Amino acid sequence: MALGFEASLGDSVVTTKLDAIVNWGRQYSLWPMVFGTACCAIEFMSAAASQHDISRWGAEVVRFSPRQADLMLVCGTVSYKQAPILKRIYEQMPEPKWVVAMGACASSGGIYDNYCTVQGIDTIIPVDVYISGCPPRPEAVLDALMKIQDQIKGESVLKDRHKDFKGILD
Amino acid sequence: MNATALEKIQAAFPEAAVSIALDTAVVAVRPEKLIETLTRLKNERDFKFSLLLDVTAIDYLEYPAVQEARFAIVYTLRNWQKNLLVQVRTPVHDPDAGVPSVTALWDSANWGEREVYDQYGINFIGHPDLRRILNHWQFKGHPLRRDYNIRQGQICYETDSLEKEIKARLATKGVSQSMMEDINTEIMFLNLGPSHPVTHGAIRILTALDGETIVANVNEIGYLHRGFEKTAESLTYNQVIPLTDRLNYCSALMNNIAYVKAVESWLGVEITERTKFMRVVLSEFFRIQDHLVCIAANLVDMGGLTNYWYLYNEKEASYDLISRLTGARLTSSFTRIGGMYRDFYEGWEADMDHHIKNIEKGVSDSLKLIAKNRIVHDRTQGVCIMPKEKALSYGYTGPCLRASGVPFDLRKDAPYYNYESFDFEVPVGTTGDLYDRLMIRFEEIFQSIRIIRQAMKAIPEGPIFVDNHAVALPPKSQVYGKIEGLANHFKLIFEGVKTPPGEWYDSFEAANGELGFHFVSDGSGKPYKVKVRPPCFYIMGGFHEMVEGAMIADTVINLGSINIIGGELDR
Ligand code: SF4
């Protein structure tokens, strides 16, 4: 995700300062794309509603178009039937992008250890933060958001992320 | 089922073996008599079974008692006027040859039979569109057969194009390939979903458009198929309860209650009065929650975000009570066979009072915004109509059926848990349009509040578990103090509650309609088979009838108005 001409500047003062300012911007304007499939999506609704208010972290601009979003929240069980769609949507999101697996199902298949359920979405797309719980409480979603923000802080505009990932559908 | 009805059925079908299981008359017929029997049950004046509730199959491969054939098919029918339930069953000797399809009699058979084909591999002769419905099209084998390994997942690389199906649907509307190639006719295909904000989950709505008007529509479901039925077969009866939370996750506790009620009825366990009242209070409270989410989301689809805050905030507040009571916000798992996990906590009455007052206020505020709102009226009245006859034929139940003018509600027509002694009304619509579906949910919220208030006044003190330790766990003092108590506890946990061998169907008026469970027991502590009769599944089966002829924007709010919940739809 090197931004362009600055890549040629290498690891200099210019780019480290640039990192700081770009990351600051990215951290507080994450636009989530909610890939809500099941029960966990209901808890995401609560995280977005007034009581927990996700906008305190600057992430309230929920986009349903992957092309306008940079944070994918997978809320719910992903079945094998769903898997190609998940992958397609992930690919439609422009870089840089981050992925949160919300709940036991998205993280590992959860209680559904069976013929139709993908045993964790990290077999299909790369995941940055996992949230445990079935379903996780809304606070846990906010916690994951903060973890992503922390992670962004340490990133560099010079390095590409996850280009080597190979999932079961690749 | 009363005795005269049973006699009538036996008299009408002398060659069939008629027996009774709970409230259901079970008619076992020869395969060649199947269509005749079902036709007569549907059409004859004495029977008039206008609702085909469910179709399912049973694989007897590992069943201890010897059966005539490996597979059997069961049709569950209901006469809603007289409250009669009948199940017609027939052996299937050769699944590849199969049995004749009943799609000509009931439209609900279309999806019902497709599911049986998908899960059991039984063919239906004459079915117009027999293909997989829950599993993906690249799937090999039939997962609910006993010899299919539960862990054998199969990867899907591509989604089905559905081109053939939509073209076939277009042809029924008089639009053929040659006509489409005509320069003057441009049919455009548009997918809504599987991942799209309107779908509130994952459903694929494929439409063929003329301008903005929908000419033909085909829907694909199964994106949230999580193998409920297969998983339940390897769990004890009590272990299945957490799975039921995840059917209709907007009203998890209602599913818990419906499930244990079905098991208890077969066991012949009479739960305590207090438990009955607890279940009534909690079902109605969750019915309210379900309707709140449905209406809130529906109004957002319509463009009224303010309503969302009025309604959703009350739901969010109710979580205080729910989590205080059950320990969880969403997935409650609060019932046990023979009782409830815990009694109400001290001071719950005040909390409940407070919440229902706020809900009343929130709902009234929201109603003020829409009741006389011209935009809402124009967008909903006379739009996406589901006529009464069609609704019955597609197997509609619950608010969607009542919106079409059929006053059928299990709480009134086949009351359980003392519902007959509560004073409440069942709102019924007139035309079956979007407006009716929306307003019925509003009214049901007020009626549920009425029931809760009455139940709170009348709830007696007493135990919440039955005093029967073949079903309920013994008190801890006995478990730790006596060897019998310990053995009892151990057996119940490890082996599960033993049910007598047999098959039965039991139903419950859930927020979306009739939630039924068809069980097959082999006498052990684990169900040999559980089939859920999900209200959503059949409602979605008739979706195309409502939206063909309507606009895209209507489709969006129509999907919201029928309250499709993926967990229940695809199980
Ligand atoms: S983790 Fe639990 S709550 Fe979340 S989608 Fe899975 S089953 Fe539902």
Side-chain angles (χ1 to χ4, degrees):
Chain A
M1 66 179 155
L3 291 181
F5 85 95
E6 64 280 0
S8 56
L9 295 173
D11 199 5
S12 64
V13 169
V14 180
T15 46
T16 42
K17 285 291 168 221
L18 195 64
D19 277 348
I21 201 160
V22 168
N23 288 346
W24 175 76
R26 282 176 180 167
Q27 273 176 62
Y28 299 109
S29 63
L30 285 165
W31 286 14
M33 146 84 213
V34 184
F35 193 83
T37 58
C39 353
C40 277
I42 306 286
E43 282 300 70
F44 175 79
M45 280 166 81
S46 290
S50 5
Q51 197 173 352
H52 296 96
D53 198 3
I54 203 167
S55 62
R56 292 180 289 163
W57 283 264
E60 78 279 22
V61 193
V62 176
R63 294 285 99 164
F64 284 101
S65 166
R67 298 187 198 283
Q68 302 168 351
D70 53 6
L71 174 66
M72 183 182 227
L73 275 159
V74 182
C75 317
T77 324
V78 173
S79 64
Y80 285 111
K81 193 169 182 172
Q82 184 99 269
I85 300 153
L86 175 67
K87 182 163 184 290
R88 166 91 71 99
I89 288 184
Y90 175 76
E91 283 165 355
Q92 284 175 345
M93 286 170 62
E95 289 282 355
K97 53 190 168 188
W98 296 270
V99 178
V100 174
M102 178 182 178
C105 285
S107 305
S108 70
I111 52 173
Y112 300 101
D113 185 5
N114 57 28
Y115 62 92
C116 40
T117 311
V118 173
Q119 301 299 302
I121 57 160
D122 51 7
T123 56
I124 303 163
I125 56 173
V127 176
D128 293 288
V129 172
Y130 301 82
I131 315 179
S132 64
C134 180
R137 292 182 60 94
E139 292 90 329
V141 180
L142 303 177
D143 181 51
L145 206 58
M146 288 191 271
K147 287 219 175 81
I148 290 275
Q149 288 178 336
D150 271 352
Q151 192 178 321
I152 294 174
K153 225 187 270 171
E155 286 178 2
S156 162
V157 291
L158 291 177
K159 288 197 198 92
D160 281 335
R161 309 169 69 247
H162 300 311
K163 276 282 157 18
D164 45 357
F165 181 85
K166 272 237 163 318
I168 51 172
L169 294 181
D170 292 300
Chain B
M1 168 84 47
N2 52 37
T4 47
L6 192 66
E7 275 164 26
K8 263 192 194 149
I9 293 175
Q10 181 69 80
F13 305 101
E15 75 286 7
V18 182
S19 56
I20 194 132
L22 297 182
D23 287 335
T24 317
V26 184
V27 184
V29 295
R30 309 289 327 142
E32 57 278 8
K33 286 271 180 202
L34 179 71
I35 291 292
E36 187 203 320
T37 313
L38 287 169
T39 314
R40 286 180 57 197
L41 282 171
K42 178 171 184 231
N43 295 332
E44 272 181 23
R45 204 166 45 91
D46 278 348
F47 302 127
K48 286 270 177 230
F49 286 90
S50 50
L51 271 170
L52 170 66
L53 288 177
D54 206 9
V55 186
T56 192
I58 301 146
D59 178 0
Y60 287 111
L61 188 68
E62 293 162 357
Y63 198 70
V66 181
Q67 303 286 326
E68 183 184 331
R70 174 171 167 190
F71 295 100
I73 289 227
V74 183
Y75 297 84
T76 309
L77 319 177
R78 185 185 281 287
N79 173 330
W80 63 271
Q81 283 115 327
K82 296 192 211 143
N83 179 31
L84 301 177
L85 255 178
V86 78
Q87 286 193 320
V88 178
R89 49 181 304 139
T90 190
V92 181
H93 293 278
D94 178 5
D96 296 330
V99 290
S101 162
V102 298
T103 38
L105 290 172
W106 293 277
D107 289 310
S108 54
N110 190 323
W111 278 25
E113 292 178 345
R114 271 178 67 191
E115 187 183 326
V116 173
Y117 164 74
D118 184 5
Q119 300 280 45
Y120 289 94
I122 294 171
N123 183 34
F124 288 90
I125 306 156
H127 190 290
D129 181 25
L130 198 64
R131 63 197 159 90
R132 290 191 183 273
I133 187 162
L134 296 181
N135 294 296
H136 55 82
W137 65 288
Q138 291 172 320
F139 199 90
K140 300 249 157 32
H142 303 283
L144 280 190
R145 287 192 177 186
R146 298 292 290 198
D147 48 11
Y148 189 92
N149 176 0
I150 183 169
R151 297 244 160 73
Q152 196 188 326
Q154 299 187 26
I155 295 172
C156 172
Y157 291 95
E158 229 178 289
T159 19
D160 195 356
S161 82
L162 292 186
E163 194 186 329
K164 205 171 105 237
E165 288 72 26
I166 189 88
K167 294 227 163 114
R169 187 74 203 161
L170 268 174
T172 65
K173 302 276 163 185
V175 184
S176 64
Q177 185 67 35
S178 57
M179 194 168 162
M180 275 192 278
E181 276 153 18
D182 177 355
I183 194 90
N184 295 323
T185 322
E186 275 180 34
I187 296 284
M188 187 180 125
F189 296 101
L190 181 76
N191 262 313
L192 299 176
S195 177
H196 188 282
V198 313
T199 58
H200 299 253
I203 303 167
R204 180 163 162 218
I205 301 169
L206 175 57
T207 54
L209 301 171
D210 175 10
E212 252 194 84
T213 309
I214 293 165
V215 186
N217 161 241
V218 171
N219 304 300
E220 196 186 15
I221 63 163
Y223 291 103
L224 193 56
H225 179 49
R226 310 193 264 195
F228 173 93
E229 282 142 19
K230 187 87 177 172
T231 310
E233 286 170 12
S234 53
L235 300 173
T236 65
Y237 284 96
N238 268 325
Q239 283 174 332
V240 177
I241 293 169
L243 288 182
T244 62
D245 282 338
R246 289 146 181 92
L247 289 172
N248 181 347
Y249 33 75
C250 288
S251 50
L253 224 155
M254 266 186 144
N255 308 321
N256 298 161
I257 296 175
Y259 170 81
V260 292
K261 173 176 168 282
V263 180
E264 286 158 359
S265 325
W266 183 247
L267 286 165
V269 170
E270 181 74 19
I271 55 168
T272 64
E273 273 309 289
R274 185 169 175 83
T275 313
K276 283 187 193 162
F277 275 90
M278 274 183 89
R279 289 188 182 174
V280 168
V281 170
L282 291 169
S283 324
E284 295 310 321
F285 193 57
F286 274 80
R287 190 186 310 280
I288 297 173
Q289 306 297 331
D290 199 279
H291 288 351
L292 283 178
V293 181
C294 172
I295 301 173
N298 203 187
L299 291 170
V300 173
D301 292 341
M302 228 179 279
L305 195 62
T306 320
N307 287 282
Y308 181 76
W309 308 122
Y310 281 144
L311 300 168
Y312 201 85
N313 282 357
E314 298 316 329
K315 178 180 163 66
E316 183 63 40
S318 307
Y319 278 138
D320 284 350
L321 185 145
I322 297 166
S323 50
R324 209 172 285 176
L325 182 67
T326 70
R329 285 162 52 93
L330 204 72
T331 42
S332 47
S333 303
F334 197 57
T335 60
R336 296 291 181 273
I337 292 161
M340 304 298 277
Y341 171 54
R342 290 278 187 275
D343 203 337
F344 280 127
Y345 58 90
E346 219 167 286
W348 71 277
E349 291 100 336
D351 284 2
M352 180 65 93
D353 236 13
H354 168 77
H355 286 308
I356 52 182
K357 251 195 220 115
N358 285 350
I359 290 170
E360 239 173 357
K361 171 150 193 314
V363 174
S364 307
D365 284 348
S366 168
L367 258 180
K368 268 186 221 142
L369 290 178
I370 62 162
K372 294 203 179 116
N373 185 329
R374 178 76 194 276
I375 302 170
V376 175
H377 289 185
D378 285 352
R379 286 213 60 189
T380 55
Q381 288 178 351
V383 178
C384 294
I385 295 174
M386 190 64 172
K388 189 172 161 181
E389 291 312 315
K390 274 232 171 88
L392 285 167
S393 176
Y394 274 99
Y396 276 39
T397 49
C400 290
L401 180 66
R402 294 193 281 274
S404 298
V406 180
F408 170 64
D409 186 324
L410 284 168
R411 293 173 297 170
K412 283 275 186 211
D413 295 302
Y416 44 87
Y417 298 162
N418 305 328
Y419 265 113
E420 66 280 6
S421 57
F422 291 105
D423 184 19
F424 70 103
E425 256 123 67
V426 176
V428 181
T430 46
T431 47
D433 58 4
L434 261 164
Y435 183 77
D436 282 346
R437 285 193 284 278
L438 182 66
M439 285 305 164
I440 278 197
R441 285 210 159 83
F442 268 113
E443 187 51 36
E444 283 194 6
I445 293 181
F446 292 117
Q447 295 301 329
S448 293
I449 292 177
R450 264 175 89 184
I451 300 177
I452 295 178
R453 292 222 163 101
Q454 293 168 42
M456 279 171 68
K457 275 204 198 100
I459 186 166
E461 289 299 321
I464 52 161
F465 263 106
V466 288
D467 189 23
N468 171 356
H469 296 308
V471 174
L473 290 176
K476 288 283 176 289
S477 59
Q478 281 187 29
V479 178
Y480 295 128
K482 283 206 189 106
I483 186 69
E484 294 81 16
L486 185 66
N488 190 187
H489 184 97
F490 186 83
K491 272 182 115 52
L492 271 181
I493 296 287
F494 277 82
E495 291 171 9
V497 179
K498 298 241 163 80
T499 54
E503 298 184 20
W504 71 99
Y505 175 84
D506 192 50
S507 53
F508 183 88
E509 184 73 33
N512 261 341
E514 176 164 347
L515 175 64
F517 288 90
H518 180 100
F519 282 93
V520 179
S521 163
D522 55 2
S524 73
K526 294 175 180 170
Y528 184 81
K529 172 199 163 79
V530 196
K531 167 72 172 65
V532 186
R533 189 264 169 210
C536 277
F537 181 81
Y538 291 100
I539 291 173
M540 194 62 208
F543 187 76
H544 58 279
E545 296 279 358
M546 296 192 245
V547 300
E548 281 168 350
M551 311 277 243
I552 304 174
D554 300 333
T555 316
V556 173
I557 46 177
N558 191 43
L559 191 72
S561 81
I562 57 176
N563 197 24
I564 293 300
I565 305 287
E568 181 184 87
L569 177 73
D570 301 332
R571 285 150 287 141

